[in-house]
Amino acid sequence: MSTTQSERLRGLLEPLVAARDLDLEEIEVTPAGKRRVLRIVVDSDDGVQLDECAELSREASQVLDDTDAMGGAPYTLEVTSPGADRPLTEPRHYRRAVGRLVKAQLHEGGELVARIIAVDDEGLDLEVPGVKGRKPTARRVAFSEIAKARVEIEFNRKQDKGRDDSAEQNDESQEEA
């Protein structure tokens, strides 16, 4: 996708996304046979519901149909939230991952797997799991030290003792959707 097309699409779509209190994370146009796929990735601190994606898709489709931003060739529009394996690149991504286990490649070399405890403007407070029965240790990492990072998917994580019932109910309602 050309820079000018990307900028034009962002200019058209960002106000629609912002009006829903969402962040426009990514716009991607990829070829798919004789068609193209326009993928709009949105997120928020509270997550993104399926209904929000559907409503945003209808609005975006109308705006795109009213302009020639996608040209004359046919395309498929997808509005989605980021996948669990998306890279953490912005401070807001780390804030949304507080309590989660992350794997980070450091600029100085080496890899770090730790749980995010807190995030501020400068970096992360992490809890590094203990090895062979040892207690976890605290570590501070500045954003500038991180080359790349992703959330590690945990299938058998024990629930936090301090977790409230509303968070648990929210998880259950999202599983039903």
Side-chain angles (χ1 to χ4, degrees), residues 46-74:
D46 299 323
V48 181
Q49 300 298 317
L50 185 59
D51 289 344
E52 288 177 302
C53 286
E55 290 168 14
L56 182 58
S57 178
R58 282 189 288 277
E59 288 178 17
S61 179
Q62 185 63 50
V63 166
L64 292 168
D65 287 349
D66 291 345
T67 67
D68 66 344
M70 288 299 292

mmCIF file of all heavy atoms in Angstrom, residues 46-74:
data_model
loop_
_atom_site.group_PDB
_atom_site.id
_atom_site.type_symbol
_atom_site.label_atom_id
_atom_site.label_comp_id
_atom_site.label_asym_id
_atom_site.label_seq_id
_atom_site.Cartn_x
_atom_site.Cartn_y
_atom_site.Cartn_z
ATOM 1 N N ASP A 46 -10.364 -1.201 27.252
ATOM 2 C CA ASP A 46 -11.383 -2.137 27.712
ATOM 3 C C ASP A 46 -11.614 -3.292 26.745
ATOM 4 O O ASP A 46 -12.560 -4.058 26.915
ATOM 5 C CB ASP A 46 -12.715 -1.390 27.905
ATOM 6 C CG ASP A 46 -12.597 -0.287 28.945
ATOM 7 O OD1 ASP A 46 -11.885 -0.488 29.938
ATOM 8 O OD2 ASP A 46 -13.196 0.779 28.735
ATOM 9 N N GLY A 47 -10.786 -3.397 25.708
ATOM 10 C CA GLY A 47 -10.983 -4.426 24.697
ATOM 11 C C GLY A 47 -11.994 -3.958 23.666
ATOM 12 O O GLY A 47 -12.528 -2.850 23.748
ATOM 13 N N VAL A 48 -12.265 -4.802 22.699
ATOM 14 C CA VAL A 48 -13.178 -4.459 21.615
ATOM 15 C C VAL A 48 -14.229 -5.565 21.514
ATOM 16 O O VAL A 48 -13.894 -6.746 21.457
ATOM 17 C CB VAL A 48 -12.424 -4.343 20.268
ATOM 18 C CG1 VAL A 48 -13.383 -3.972 19.159
ATOM 19 C CG2 VAL A 48 -11.311 -3.316 20.373
ATOM 20 N N GLN A 49 -15.484 -5.146 21.497
ATOM 21 C CA GLN A 49 -16.592 -6.090 21.392
ATOM 22 C C GLN A 49 -16.944 -6.340 19.920
ATOM 23 O O GLN A 49 -16.722 -5.479 19.066
ATOM 24 C CB GLN A 49 -17.825 -5.551 22.134
ATOM 25 C CG GLN A 49 -17.597 -5.310 23.614
ATOM 26 C CD GLN A 49 -17.258 -6.580 24.354
ATOM 27 O OE1 GLN A 49 -17.863 -7.623 24.136
ATOM 28 N NE2 GLN A 49 -16.263 -6.509 25.230
ATOM 29 N N LEU A 50 -17.494 -7.486 19.650
ATOM 30 C CA LEU A 50 -17.886 -7.858 18.291
ATOM 31 C C LEU A 50 -18.870 -6.857 17.695
ATOM 32 O O LEU A 50 -18.756 -6.476 16.529
ATOM 33 C CB LEU A 50 -18.492 -9.265 18.302
ATOM 34 C CG LEU A 50 -18.860 -9.871 16.962
ATOM 35 C CD1 LEU A 50 -17.631 -9.964 16.074
ATOM 36 C CD2 LEU A 50 -19.469 -11.242 17.155
ATOM 37 N N ASP A 51 -19.826 -6.390 18.495
ATOM 38 C CA ASP A 51 -20.810 -5.411 18.005
ATOM 39 C C ASP A 51 -20.134 -4.118 17.577
ATOM 40 O O ASP A 51 -20.539 -3.498 16.585
ATOM 41 C CB ASP A 51 -21.860 -5.115 19.069
ATOM 42 C CG ASP A 51 -22.810 -6.286 19.292
ATOM 43 O OD1 ASP A 51 -22.846 -7.184 18.421
ATOM 44 O OD2 ASP A 51 -23.506 -6.296 20.314
ATOM 45 N N GLU A 52 -19.099 -3.694 18.317
ATOM 46 C CA GLU A 52 -18.372 -2.476 17.947
ATOM 47 C C GLU A 52 -17.694 -2.649 16.597
ATOM 48 O O GLU A 52 -17.707 -1.731 15.776
ATOM 49 C CB GLU A 52 -17.311 -2.137 19.000
ATOM 50 C CG GLU A 52 -17.862 -1.628 20.314
ATOM 51 C CD GLU A 52 -16.760 -1.385 21.319
ATOM 52 O OE1 GLU A 52 -16.015 -2.324 21.629
ATOM 53 O OE2 GLU A 52 -16.654 -0.237 21.789
ATOM 54 N N CYS A 53 -17.101 -3.808 16.375
ATOM 55 C CA CYS A 53 -16.451 -4.079 15.088
ATOM 56 C C CYS A 53 -17.477 -4.055 13.951
ATOM 57 O O CYS A 53 -17.212 -3.483 12.892
ATOM 58 C CB CYS A 53 -15.730 -5.427 15.116
ATOM 59 S SG CYS A 53 -14.206 -5.437 16.072
ATOM 60 N N ALA A 54 -18.638 -4.645 14.175
ATOM 61 C CA ALA A 54 -19.676 -4.689 13.138
ATOM 62 C C ALA A 54 -20.180 -3.287 12.812
ATOM 63 O O ALA A 54 -20.329 -2.924 11.634
ATOM 64 C CB ALA A 54 -20.828 -5.578 13.593
ATOM 65 N N GLU A 55 -20.434 -2.470 13.832
ATOM 66 C CA GLU A 55 -20.922 -1.112 13.600
ATOM 67 C C GLU A 55 -19.857 -0.266 12.899
ATOM 68 O O GLU A 55 -20.164 0.488 11.969
ATOM 69 C CB GLU A 55 -21.322 -0.473 14.927
ATOM 70 C CG GLU A 55 -22.571 -1.090 15.535
ATOM 71 C CD GLU A 55 -22.808 -0.656 16.971
ATOM 72 O OE1 GLU A 55 -22.171 0.318 17.430
ATOM 73 O OE2 GLU A 55 -23.644 -1.302 17.633
ATOM 74 N N LEU A 56 -18.615 -0.394 13.344
ATOM 75 C CA LEU A 56 -17.526 0.349 12.714
ATOM 76 C C LEU A 56 -17.346 -0.094 11.263
ATOM 77 O O LEU A 56 -17.095 0.724 10.384
ATOM 78 C CB LEU A 56 -16.230 0.160 13.504
ATOM 79 C CG LEU A 56 -15.012 0.914 12.985
ATOM 80 C CD1 LEU A 56 -15.271 2.417 12.924
ATOM 81 C CD2 LEU A 56 -13.807 0.614 13.862
ATOM 82 N N SER A 57 -17.510 -1.375 10.996
ATOM 83 C CA SER A 57 -17.397 -1.895 9.631
ATOM 84 C C SER A 57 -18.452 -1.260 8.718
ATOM 85 O O SER A 57 -18.143 -0.859 7.595
ATOM 86 C CB SER A 57 -17.543 -3.415 9.642
ATOM 87 O OG SER A 57 -17.473 -3.922 8.334
ATOM 88 N N ARG A 58 -19.680 -1.157 9.217
ATOM 89 C CA ARG A 58 -20.747 -0.535 8.413
ATOM 90 C C ARG A 58 -20.430 0.930 8.130
ATOM 91 O O ARG A 58 -20.567 1.395 6.997
ATOM 92 C CB ARG A 58 -22.097 -0.671 9.121
ATOM 93 C CG ARG A 58 -22.716 -2.044 9.002
ATOM 94 C CD ARG A 58 -24.136 -2.072 9.516
ATOM 95 N NE ARG A 58 -24.212 -1.975 10.968
ATOM 96 C CZ ARG A 58 -24.080 -2.996 11.807
ATOM 97 N NH1 ARG A 58 -23.866 -4.203 11.327
ATOM 98 N NH2 ARG A 58 -24.179 -2.819 13.106
ATOM 99 N N GLU A 59 -19.983 1.662 9.156
ATOM 100 C CA GLU A 59 -19.656 3.078 8.975
ATOM 101 C C GLU A 59 -18.471 3.252 8.022
ATOM 102 O O GLU A 59 -18.500 4.112 7.142
ATOM 103 C CB GLU A 59 -19.311 3.724 10.320
ATOM 104 C CG GLU A 59 -20.503 3.918 11.223
ATOM 105 C CD GLU A 59 -20.099 4.527 12.562
ATOM 106 O OE1 GLU A 59 -18.984 5.093 12.666
ATOM 107 O OE2 GLU A 59 -20.893 4.436 13.493
ATOM 108 N N ALA A 60 -17.430 2.453 8.212
ATOM 109 C CA ALA A 60 -16.242 2.549 7.362
ATOM 110 C C ALA A 60 -16.595 2.208 5.920
ATOM 111 O O ALA A 60 -16.128 2.866 4.984
ATOM 112 C CB ALA A 60 -15.141 1.625 7.877
ATOM 113 N N SER A 61 -17.422 1.201 5.724
ATOM 114 C CA SER A 61 -17.831 0.804 4.385
ATOM 115 C C SER A 61 -18.540 1.961 3.680
ATOM 116 O O SER A 61 -18.269 2.240 2.503
ATOM 117 C CB SER A 61 -18.751 -0.411 4.468
ATOM 118 O OG SER A 61 -19.178 -0.796 3.180
ATOM 119 N N GLN A 62 -19.427 2.642 4.400
ATOM 120 C CA GLN A 62 -20.152 3.774 3.817
ATOM 121 C C GLN A 62 -19.194 4.896 3.433
ATOM 122 O O GLN A 62 -19.263 5.438 2.337
ATOM 123 C CB GLN A 62 -21.215 4.291 4.802
ATOM 124 C CG GLN A 62 -22.077 5.378 4.227
ATOM 125 C CD GLN A 62 -22.900 4.905 3.045
ATOM 126 O OE1 GLN A 62 -23.566 3.879 3.119
ATOM 127 N NE2 GLN A 62 -22.833 5.622 1.938
ATOM 128 N N VAL A 63 -18.262 5.228 4.333
ATOM 129 C CA VAL A 63 -17.293 6.289 4.052
ATOM 130 C C VAL A 63 -16.418 5.916 2.864
ATOM 131 O O VAL A 63 -16.162 6.743 1.976
ATOM 132 C CB VAL A 63 -16.421 6.575 5.302
ATOM 133 C CG1 VAL A 63 -15.210 7.417 4.953
ATOM 134 C CG2 VAL A 63 -17.263 7.259 6.373
ATOM 135 N N LEU A 64 -15.962 4.673 2.815
ATOM 136 C CA LEU A 64 -15.105 4.235 1.705
ATOM 137 C C LEU A 64 -15.872 4.216 0.385
ATOM 138 O O LEU A 64 -15.311 4.535 -0.659
ATOM 139 C CB LEU A 64 -14.510 2.861 2.016
ATOM 140 C CG LEU A 64 -13.502 2.841 3.170
ATOM 141 C CD1 LEU A 64 -13.195 1.407 3.592
ATOM 142 C CD2 LEU A 64 -12.240 3.591 2.812
ATOM 143 N N ASP A 65 -17.159 3.841 0.427
ATOM 144 C CA ASP A 65 -17.978 3.836 -0.786
ATOM 145 C C ASP A 65 -18.219 5.253 -1.304
ATOM 146 O O ASP A 65 -18.374 5.463 -2.502
ATOM 147 C CB ASP A 65 -19.328 3.154 -0.534
ATOM 148 C CG ASP A 65 -19.210 1.643 -0.399
ATOM 149 O OD1 ASP A 65 -18.120 1.091 -0.698
ATOM 150 O OD2 ASP A 65 -20.198 1.006 0.041
ATOM 151 N N ASP A 66 -18.264 6.219 -0.390
ATOM 152 C CA ASP A 66 -18.516 7.616 -0.772
ATOM 153 C C ASP A 66 -17.261 8.315 -1.303
ATOM 154 O O ASP A 66 -17.336 9.448 -1.768
ATOM 155 C CB ASP A 66 -19.068 8.405 0.420
ATOM 156 C CG ASP A 66 -20.481 7.961 0.793
ATOM 157 O OD1 ASP A 66 -21.130 7.265 -0.010
ATOM 158 O OD2 ASP A 66 -20.923 8.311 1.918
ATOM 159 N N THR A 67 -16.109 7.664 -1.202
ATOM 160 C CA THR A 67 -14.851 8.236 -1.698
ATOM 161 C C THR A 67 -14.222 7.243 -2.668
ATOM 162 O O THR A 67 -14.716 6.139 -2.842
ATOM 163 C CB THR A 67 -13.851 8.481 -0.541
ATOM 164 O OG1 THR A 67 -13.439 7.226 -0.007
ATOM 165 C CG2 THR A 67 -14.465 9.334 0.559
ATOM 166 N N ASP A 68 -13.125 7.636 -3.279
ATOM 167 C CA ASP A 68 -12.409 6.701 -4.149
ATOM 168 C C ASP A 68 -11.092 6.259 -3.500
ATOM 169 O O ASP A 68 -10.136 5.927 -4.182
ATOM 170 C CB ASP A 68 -12.169 7.318 -5.521
ATOM 171 C CG ASP A 68 -11.227 8.504 -5.460
ATOM 172 O OD1 ASP A 68 -11.000 9.046 -4.356
ATOM 173 O OD2 ASP A 68 -10.709 8.898 -6.524
ATOM 174 N N ALA A 69 -11.061 6.243 -2.181
ATOM 175 C CA ALA A 69 -9.829 5.917 -1.449
ATOM 176 C C ALA A 69 -9.311 4.517 -1.767
ATOM 177 O O ALA A 69 -8.106 4.280 -1.721
ATOM 178 C CB ALA A 69 -10.047 6.053 0.055
ATOM 179 N N MET A 70 -10.206 3.591 -2.107
ATOM 180 C CA MET A 70 -9.786 2.225 -2.427
ATOM 181 C C MET A 70 -9.725 1.989 -3.930
ATOM 182 O O MET A 70 -9.447 0.881 -4.374
ATOM 183 C CB MET A 70 -10.738 1.208 -1.775
ATOM 184 C CG MET A 70 -10.582 1.104 -0.272
ATOM 185 S SD MET A 70 -8.935 0.568 0.234
ATOM 186 C CE MET A 70 -8.912 -1.115 -0.362
ATOM 187 N N GLY A 71 -9.969 3.024 -4.724
ATOM 188 C CA GLY A 71 -9.911 2.862 -6.168
ATOM 189 C C GLY A 71 -11.111 2.071 -6.669
ATOM 190 O O GLY A 71 -12.054 1.802 -5.940
ATOM 191 N N GLY A 72 -11.032 1.636 -7.920
ATOM 192 C CA GLY A 72 -12.164 0.945 -8.527
ATOM 193 C C GLY A 72 -12.154 -0.564 -8.360
ATOM 194 O O GLY A 72 -13.154 -1.216 -8.613
ATOM 195 N N ALA A 73 -11.048 -1.131 -7.965
ATOM 196 C CA ALA A 73 -10.953 -2.595 -7.843
ATOM 197 C C ALA A 73 -11.731 -3.085 -6.616
ATOM 198 O O ALA A 73 -11.799 -2.396 -5.600
ATOM 199 C CB ALA A 73 -9.483 -3.011 -7.730
ATOM 200 N N PRO A 74 -12.320 -4.274 -6.718
ATOM 201 C CA PRO A 74 -13.092 -4.799 -5.582
ATOM 202 C C PRO A 74 -12.192 -5.108 -4.384
ATOM 203 O O PRO A 74 -11.016 -5.440 -4.535
ATOM 204 C CB PRO A 74 -13.726 -6.070 -6.134
ATOM 205 C CG PRO A 74 -12.945 -6.436 -7.339
ATOM 206 C CD PRO A 74 -12.313 -5.188 -7.848
#
